Amino acid sequence: MQIIEGLYYTRDHEWVRVEGAEAYIGITDYAQQALGDIVYVELSEIGTVLNQEETFGTVESVKAASDMYIPVSGTVTRTNEDLADNPALVNDDPFGTWMVCVEMSNTKELEQLLSASAYKELCSEVE
Amino acid sequence: MDTLKRTVLFHEHLRLKANMVDFGGWEMPVNYPAGIVEEHLCTRKKAGLFDVSHMGRFVITGKDATAFLQYVLTNNVLALDVKQAQYTMIPNENGGALDDAYLYRFYEDEYLLVVNAANADKDWEHLTKEIKAFDAHIANKSDVLAMIAIQGPESKNILGKLSKDTYLTEPIRNSLNIIELDNKEVLIAKTGYTGEPIGFELFVKSEDAAGIWTLLIENGAMPVGLGARDTLRLEAGLPLYGHELGLDVNEQEIPIFAVPLAKFAVSFAEAKGDYIGREALLRQFEALQRIIKRDFSNIADLPRMVKPIALDGKGIARSGFKVFKDGIEVGNITSGTMVPYLKTEGQGLETIIKDEKAMRSIGLALVDSDILVDAQVEVEIRGNKVKAVIPPYHLRGDAPPFARPILHDFTETRKVDTSADYKTKALNLIEKSFNNHLWRQEESINLIPSEQSHSSAVRLLSIMDPSFRYAEHKKIKSFYDYDVFYYQGTKFIDEVEHLLVEELKKYFNCTEVETRVISGQMANTAVFSAIMDFKNRVNRKKEASRLGYVMNNHIIRGGHLSAQPMGALHDYIAKDPITEKSAIVNFPVLKDNIFKIDVEETKKIIAKYKPELIIFGKSMVLHKEPVKEIREFVDEQNINTVIMYDMAHVLGLAGDYFQNPFAEGAEIVTGSTHKTFFGTQRGIIAGNYQKEDYKYALWETIETRAFPGSVSNHHLGTMVGLLMAAYEMNHFKDEYQKNIIENAKYFAKCLKQAGLDVAGDPDISYTETHQVIVKVGYGTGAEAANRLEDNNIIVNYQATPEEEGFTASGALRLGVSEMVRFGFDKKEFEQLAEIMADVILRNKNVKEAVKKLRSQFTAMKYCFTDEEIVEGLNKLAAKL
């Protein structure tokens, strides 16, 4: 299982990559493996204002649908359009496949998120 | 997880790195590393392997085993012959399902009931309680007997490679057998839960399970977990207990008849008697009958039914989501997900399944019973209403070896003549017709055994003036049965018809012939109708009873379509009230030669069923039919029956080189006049009754069922042509028939020598008729036939008795008659055999060689070539 240094993580298995005031958000390798074949991804529309922990989308495998929660508050500026036709990208490259990009309204929230090593520990506990 | 139960294959799943989950108290693989999508697609394209040992397996024995099962199950256990299985329900008193189940009868006096894993304890408790009232015994064999399913188009080949005997089961769903795999006894069933037309479930001793499981994987089956098992069954529209059966999302009981399969799983046969839930089920069934007739006035007993649903908009419909129509809530999704399928190219039989995959969002929904197919509905997904449709089905298995996904938005494309004006269209038609004639008559070799080109004389006579005329006639008792015609200007036709009857009587050596039927199928219909009328003649005031039992050749063993319940027998065959099936019994065949009737076994069946009608004759025919042996037997046993020989395919062979049907004891012969006979496309009925015979009245009924029963005007043009054909036949038949049989045997030998797999008995040179059957490999018959057609050799692809139907056919049916008529002899058939092997085995292009061979044989033989006749024909042609 892959975990990438330099990203922020959540207990719900989302990752955050910060670029300036923007945060790119996706789900982790651990999450995609647990879900299995991902067949549908539904995302919030551009312009949506989200508070931390609100649902920004749903990722669906053959077996089940799972909500995804925004790790940091902000406004959705972009969504990954490739996912509409090819949701399996999340399985193939979970860390290379961001889902939404938000312009953060409170960068302090980042401090509440997990580091790569803390997230790794979390995953090994669950195992 | 240590409280979970494990199947005997548990360690195999771990070894294969399966993702294990809790399923109904069992620790089972949900998927293997390939993933649900790949596992689903591999089952559809090749073969999937499933551990289904978690299901409950109960064995029921004892004097009252049948009576017990009739009481606790919904299906008719008396309809289950040995080596058959049936889908059934375990009902409760309310007409709901405690469970759905499969009942297998591998042995005469023992039933095996397979139930859902999650319900096994509940079922066991119920069944062991109910059995106390019966002299029967139930044993739980779930631990000693493992269960493995192998499903998909390759499953038969994989098992065939490993089986001691390559014959697995009859190629019909729900057939059973006991075979040896890897030297171990295996109970095999042609059943499954994937919608695959080719698929098997195996029952093996627990200690043998791991070995057989591994062997099947080594031979190409992909292990498939419960995840793909669910998507496969969903796509096939099969119910899953807890979703489509049991309680609905509102904790209300789902009526059994809400599930479409219920109509196959529930019986109200008198012989079944009363059983748990019968009354409630009958109310549901009555509601269903009204619903089918689109009377929705009283659907309280069946308010909602399970229907397929396909999403047009984005998203996935999950179990519990609400379904709306015109803004009103009409039901809920019971199962739904995104399932994969492989894209296709081309249409019809030439459809190619590609490797490219796609996904579609589909489900099953429990919706109001008045919602019709193609209804536009909406599914509420997380607050959004998403457009959906109710398609008739998601998948079809009626073109084996593949189960084929049906996309509801598919549109057919067909070539049409888009010319702006009718002159152009007319010219196009003429040109295409000319090219087609040239291709079939001068450039192609036709080996279709049911076809025959006509001589110039037959052709010309068929299109002269009588083809525009009308005639109807009937024997009148007042005129000593002299035929009276209803139209003027038909004296010529009267004469032609009389001459034709006499000529055909001579040909068959019989007393009566009816020539007005215009096809072989119509001939059979008229005969069946007459036999039924004759049976009911003593009291015509009551509803006529149908025929039963009738004995025939099963269609998969070459039986003629026209003699099947799905063909001309349809309206005349009774239902057996005990089994609720058509009252048909089939000729058994020899174990070592499935193309030949087993006479001794046939006698046993005749003695048991006392059939009212015995129909000989086949469309895939390599052997003589044992008419004489069966005639002797029924006479000796004093069995009141009619022996009929449907000679459609072999009519032109009647005689000393093949069979003399009436001399051997047939009473009635039917047939089409254009297959091995020289005639135009018509039918005939011949009979051998004397005026003083008890059954002469049957013959008279046959005549009235021909006219006015089947035809009024009987296509007079082709009747004149047929008279000429009868002259040709009676004049040339000795030479023609001898050459047909000799050349067919020789052709078969040459095909074998050329490396092809010729079916039948080598001791008789494979055939006693004009036909030769060549096996080209399971499921590849159509492809081979297409390749031959591209090379100007026209044949039929043919399913052998081991195969599921014409789309799965692995053989070619060849006939020598037309080419013999064009002068082919041993030398040419030898050459043709090599050419065909080049195409079939080596995929060579032989078109030019075929054209060259054919170009030397365009003049028809076995017809009159005398100068005066040719002159006469020219005179006729000049008048066209």
Side-chain angles (χ1 to χ4, degrees):
Chain A
M1 192 194 67
Q2 205 188 6
I3 294 176
I4 297 212
E5 292 294 330
L7 302 183
Y8 295 97
Y9 294 88
T10 71
R11 294 182 170 275
D12 299 318
H13 306 284
E14 288 100 4
W15 56 256
V16 182
R17 193 177 77 229
V18 175
E19 286 184 16
E22 285 187 329
Y24 288 85
I25 296 150
I27 64 167
T28 64
D29 191 24
Y30 179 92
Q32 72 78 18
Q33 270 185 35
L35 288 166
D37 289 321
I38 289 164
V39 290
Y40 185 67
V41 179
E42 192 177 88
L43 300 169
S44 293
E45 282 170 26
I46 292 169
T48 312
V49 180
L50 294 164
N51 291 317
Q52 190 182 29
E53 304 266 297
E54 276 186 337
T55 306
F56 76 87
T58 308
V59 58
E60 302 205 35
S61 69
V62 176
K63 292 297 288 177
S66 312
D67 285 339
M68 298 179 289
Y69 307 102
I70 200 85
V72 285
S73 303
T75 307
V76 178
T77 54
R78 290 165 67 199
T79 59
N80 186 343
E81 286 168 11
D82 293 345
L83 290 170
D85 291 334
N86 194 2
L89 284 173
V90 182
N91 291 119
D92 299 342
D93 183 10
F95 290 106
T97 311
W98 60 275
M99 291 182 174
V100 293
C101 176
V102 295
E103 193 175 305
M104 290 180 283
S105 54
N106 181 5
T107 50
K108 281 209 167 135
E109 286 168 355
L110 290 169
E111 293 164 19
Q112 300 158 17
L113 304 180
L114 304 175
S115 67
S117 59
Y119 179 67
K120 193 171 184 180
E121 205 171 309
L122 175 87
C123 292
S124 59
E125 275 169 28
V126 182
E127 291 276 284
Chain B
M1 275 177 121
D2 54 359
T3 56
L4 293 177
K5 287 179 271 188
R6 293 167 171 183
T7 74
V8 69
L9 293 170
F10 176 77
H11 293 286
E12 298 305 314
H13 304 318
L14 294 190
R15 211 191 318 277
L16 292 162
K17 300 195 163 38
N19 181 11
M20 304 296 283
V21 295
D22 171 5
F23 179 83
W26 290 80
E27 194 174 359
M28 294 296 289
V30 66
N31 61 275
Y32 297 87
I36 293 175
V37 168
E38 283 310 310
E39 290 168 25
H40 179 115
L41 293 174
C42 188
T43 305
R44 293 277 182 250
K45 182 122 194 210
K46 295 189 178 109
L49 190 66
F50 306 74
D51 175 15
V52 284
S53 304
H54 60 308
M55 301 185 85
R57 287 171 292 289
F58 307 147
V59 169
I60 299 101
T61 50
K63 189 165 78 59
D64 291 342
T66 308
F68 164 65
L69 293 170
Q70 291 284 44
Y71 184 68
V72 294
L73 302 177
T74 56
N75 213 333
N76 183 3
V77 182
L78 286 173
L80 203 58
D81 278 337
V82 179
K83 294 201 177 169
Q84 282 183 350
Q86 65 184 194
Y87 181 56
T88 192
M89 301 273 177
I90 306 177
N92 61 26
E93 279 299 347
N94 313 321
L98 277 183
D99 203 356
D100 62 338
Y102 236 91
L103 185 66
Y104 301 78
R105 192 177 176 199
F106 286 99
Y107 308 100
E108 179 79 40
D109 48 6
E110 186 180 306
Y111 296 97
L112 172 61
L113 185 70
V114 175
V115 302
N116 279 304
N119 291 332
D121 292 343
K122 178 183 78 174
D123 294 339
W124 176 254
E125 200 180 314
H126 169 69
L127 296 172
T128 47
K129 184 173 143 254
E130 295 294 340
I131 205 168
K132 286 181 184 144
F134 295 86
D135 183 0
H137 182 252
I138 184 165
N140 190 341
K141 297 283 173 113
S142 308
D143 289 341
V144 292
L145 210 55
M147 190 172 172
I148 298 169
I150 177 166
Q151 305 275 304
E154 284 290 324
S155 56
K156 195 170 174 177
N157 286 341
I158 291 171
L159 288 171
K161 271 191 283 182
L162 302 172
S163 169
K164 194 176 161 202
D165 185 354
T166 54
Y167 178 81
L168 301 172
T169 66
E170 291 268 295
I172 302 170
R173 197 171 167 75
N174 292 334
S175 299
L176 310 181
N177 202 7
I178 299 167
I179 60 166
E180 247 181 56
L181 277 188
D182 194 28
N183 296 318
K184 297 179 179 85
E185 186 188 84
V186 171
L187 307 183
I188 180 169
K190 200 154 191 293
T191 51
Y193 190 49
T194 56
E196 284 298 321
I198 316 291
F200 302 88
E201 291 177 314
L202 312 174
F203 300 90
V204 302
K205 287 194 195 80
S206 285
E207 61 264 34
D208 298 337
I212 287 175
W213 170 267
T214 306
L215 200 60
L216 291 170
I217 293 173
E218 283 167 4
N219 280 274
M222 177 187 262
V224 178
L226 294 178
R229 183 169 156 85
D230 191 43
T231 55
L232 289 159
R233 73 91 198 166
L234 170 66
E235 195 180 26
L238 300 170
L240 172 62
Y241 191 89
H243 288 255
E244 286 77 32
L245 285 166
L247 300 181
D248 67 14
V249 289
N250 306 314
E251 301 290 306
Q252 297 295 307
E253 185 132 64
I254 302 171
I256 282 176
F257 271 99
V259 172
L261 273 182
K263 61 177 184 282
F264 302 107
V266 181
S267 163
F268 301 104
E270 212 174 296
K272 180 170 170 67
D274 193 22
Y275 60 92
I276 295 171
R278 186 181 190 277
E279 213 176 298
L281 286 168
L282 192 57
R283 281 198 303 273
Q284 292 174 20
F285 184 54
E286 279 161 2
L288 175 66
Q289 292 176 60
R290 286 190 293 271
I291 290 163
I292 290 169
K293 290 187 228 163
R294 298 201 178 176
D295 166 7
F296 304 115
S297 58
N298 182 5
I299 59 172
D301 290 316
L302 197 55
R304 284 184 170 175
M305 295 177 71
V306 174
K307 294 172 197 233
I309 188 164
L311 260 65
D312 278 325
K314 287 198 166 136
I316 298 176
R318 300 283 179 184
S319 175
F321 286 8
K322 287 175 179 166
V323 181
F324 293 84
K325 184 170 188 295
D326 304 325
I328 298 160
E329 188 180 328
V330 291
N332 293 282
I333 300 294
T334 52
S335 302
T337 187
M338 194 74 95
V339 301
Y341 66 95
L342 292 170
K343 290 189 172 177
T344 59
E345 214 170 60
Q347 287 189 131
L349 206 55
E350 276 144 52
T351 301
I352 291 164
I353 301 168
K354 300 196 291 184
D355 287 328
E356 189 190 344
K357 71 181 179 209
M359 304 294 292
R360 56 181 178 150
S361 181
I362 59 168
L364 295 171
L366 187 64
V367 291
D368 290 353
S369 299
D370 60 1
I371 290 189
L372 303 175
V373 166
D374 292 334
Q376 300 290 324
V377 294
E378 289 174 319
V379 180
E380 191 175 75
I381 302 177
R382 292 184 285 276
N384 295 322
K385 290 201 176 136
V386 177
K387 282 201 161 107
V389 67
I390 305 290
Y393 30 72
H394 294 310
L395 182 89
R396 293 292 293 193
D398 51 3
F402 297 102
R404 297 171 200 262
I406 303 296
L407 311 180
H408 75 90
D409 53 1
F410 175 83
T411 44
E412 187 191 30
T413 51
R414 244 192 128 83
K415 230 165 72 180
V416 286
D417 188 343
T418 52
S419 307
D421 62 283
Y422 280 100
K423 186 185 160 194
T424 315
K425 285 188 190 201
L427 282 169
N428 286 344
L429 179 59
I430 292 165
E431 181 66 12
K432 281 180 184 164
S433 183
F434 180 80
N435 290 338
N436 177 65
H437 190 88
L438 209 67
W439 180 55
R440 293 301 298 263
Q441 286 290 317
E442 294 175 23
E443 297 175 352
S444 306
I445 291 177
N446 186 46
L447 297 174
I448 294 193
S450 56
E451 291 177 357
Q452 179 72 266
S453 286
H454 308 152
S455 68
S456 308
V458 170
R459 271 153 76 177
L460 272 169
L461 288 166
S462 300
I463 54 169
M464 300 313 292
D465 183 84
S467 63
F468 319 132
R469 302 302 158 205
Y470 250 69
E472 291 171 3
H473 61 88
K474 199 179 159 187
K475 283 177 180 168
I476 304 288
K477 294 276 178 209
S478 298
F479 301 136
Y480 305 96
D481 269 346
Y482 197 85
D483 263 313
V484 172
F485 275 66
Y486 294 2
Y487 287 80
Q488 291 305 115
T490 53
K491 287 199 178 67
F492 173 57
I493 290 306
D494 184 6
E495 186 191 336
V496 165
E497 205 171 317
H498 183 70
L499 291 171
L500 178 58
V501 166
E502 291 309 310
E503 213 54 48
L504 290 171
K505 280 187 198 170
K506 192 170 144 195
Y507 177 71
F508 290 114
N509 194 13
C510 67
T511 58
E512 301 289 346
V513 172
E514 170 58 62
T515 60
R516 285 174 291 184
V517 283
I518 55 169
S519 71
Q521 168 111 350
M522 187 187 279
N524 281 358
T525 308
V527 169
F528 300 147
S529 171
I531 295 174
M532 184 170 139
D533 186 73
F534 184 68
K535 172 184 177 175
N536 291 281
R537 72 194 180 285
V538 290
N539 183 0
R540 289 205 167 90
K541 285 183 180 168
K542 71 171 175 57
E543 201 66 53
S545 62
R546 293 179 172 212
L547 301 175
Y549 267 77
V550 171
M551 187 167 207
N552 69 2
N553 283 299
H554 197 290
I555 192 150
I556 65 164
R557 299 209 183 96
H560 194 201
L561 183 63
S562 305
Q564 307 291 324
M566 69 170 102
L569 258 179
H570 188 268
D571 298 335
Y572 309 105
I573 188 77
K575 287 263 185 256
D576 183 322
I578 306 287
T579 65
E580 302 170 283
K581 297 179 193 167
S582 289
I584 282 276
V585 277
N586 298 125
F587 287 108
V589 293
L590 293 170
K591 259 208 154 78
D592 55 353
N593 182 1
I594 44 184
F595 295 94
K596 195 169 185 177
I597 289 175
D598 182 334
V599 174
E600 290 316 306
E601 285 300 312
T602 301
K603 289 177 182 172
K604 287 180 202 161
I605 291 173
I606 291 175
K608 184 176 169 192
Y609 287 93
K610 307 237 175 346
E612 294 179 326
L613 171 63
I614 297 171
I615 312 170
F616 286 105
K618 291 173 161 189
S619 51
M620 175 173 58
V621 50
L622 296 178
H623 291 280
K624 296 170 188 171
E625 297 277 80
V627 180
K628 186 159 171 280
E629 292 91 328
I630 299 308
R631 165 55 68 194
E632 281 166 7
F633 180 73
V634 300
D635 285 354
E636 194 182 285
Q637 300 284 313
N638 212 6
I639 292 166
N640 183 18
T641 187
V642 173
I643 296 184
M644 163 182 170
Y645 193 165
D646 174 355
M647 291 190 79
H649 283 260
V650 290
L651 200 79
L653 303 182
D656 296 343
Y657 295 99
F658 182 59
Q659 287 193 276
N660 286 296
F662 291 112
E664 291 176 26
E667 292 161 56
I668 297 168
V669 166
T670 57
S672 39
T673 48
H674 47 268
K675 293 181 163 79
T676 41
F677 204 80
F678 293 162
T680 46
Q681 296 194 340
R682 303 184 59 89
I684 60 124
I685 307 166
N688 205 21
Y689 299 109
Q690 306 293 333
K691 288 233 157 45
E692 59 277 15
D693 282 352
Y694 163 66
K695 282 193 197 161
Y696 192 77
L698 169 59
W699 178 256
E700 290 181 313
T701 311
I702 289 173
E703 288 179 329
T704 59
R705 293 322 295 158
F707 173 82
S710 305
V711 271
S712 52
N713 182 42
H714 43 280
H715 296 197
L716 309 180
T718 55
M719 181 164 252
V720 187
L722 184 57
L723 176 57
M724 178 55 86
Y727 289 156
E728 290 171 348
M729 183 53 87
N730 277 341
H731 187 77
F732 294 103
K733 75 171 185 184
D734 267 358
E735 200 190 343
Y736 168 73
Q737 292 176 343
K738 181 166 166 279
N739 282 345
I740 289 285
I741 310 280
E742 280 181 12
N743 275 300
K745 283 175 186 285
Y746 189 75
F747 188 36
K749 266 201 308 206
C750 294
L751 288 161
K752 180 77 183 173
Q753 273 162 16
L756 292 164
D757 183 3
V758 180
D761 180 1
D763 291 342
I764 56 145
S765 301
Y766 306 98
T767 182
E768 297 176 296
T769 69
H770 61 304
Q771 290 188 9
V772 179
I773 307 291
V774 174
K775 295 188 190 176
V776 291
Y778 180 66
T780 63
E783 186 271 327
N786 269 333
R787 244 181 316 130
L788 286 164
E789 179 169 336
D790 290 341
N791 284 284
N792 284 14
I793 298 171
I794 317 291
V795 303
N796 282 121
Y797 54 90
Q798 168 81 46
T800 67
E802 297 109 329
E803 292 161 352
E804 286 76 11
F806 68 96
T807 54
S809 71
L812 305 174
R813 187 182 66 160
L814 317 174
V816 298
S817 29
E818 183 162 324
M819 295 323 296
V820 165
R821 235 188 144 205
F822 279 114
F824 266 36
D825 208 341
K826 300 213 169 66
K827 188 173 141 237
E828 289 75 34
F829 279 114
E830 190 170 351
Q831 197 185 336
L832 179 58
E834 279 156 22
I835 290 175
M836 287 178 69
D838 275 345
V839 179
I840 297 166
L841 302 174
R842 292 176 282 277
N843 204 9
K844 279 198 189 168
N845 186 327
V846 297
K847 197 167 181 168
E848 290 312 311
V850 172
K851 275 185 177 173
K852 194 173 158 219
L853 176 59
R854 176 67 212 256
S855 67
Q856 300 155 46
F857 296 89
T858 53
M860 182 155 287
K861 306 281 185 293
Y862 314 98
C863 59
F864 304 108
T865 49
D866 314 65
E867 207 176 307
E868 307 93 293
I869 290 181
V870 174
E871 248 171 59
L873 291 176
N874 288 340
K875 207 167 82 181
L876 278 182
K879 286 290 168 199
L880 285 180

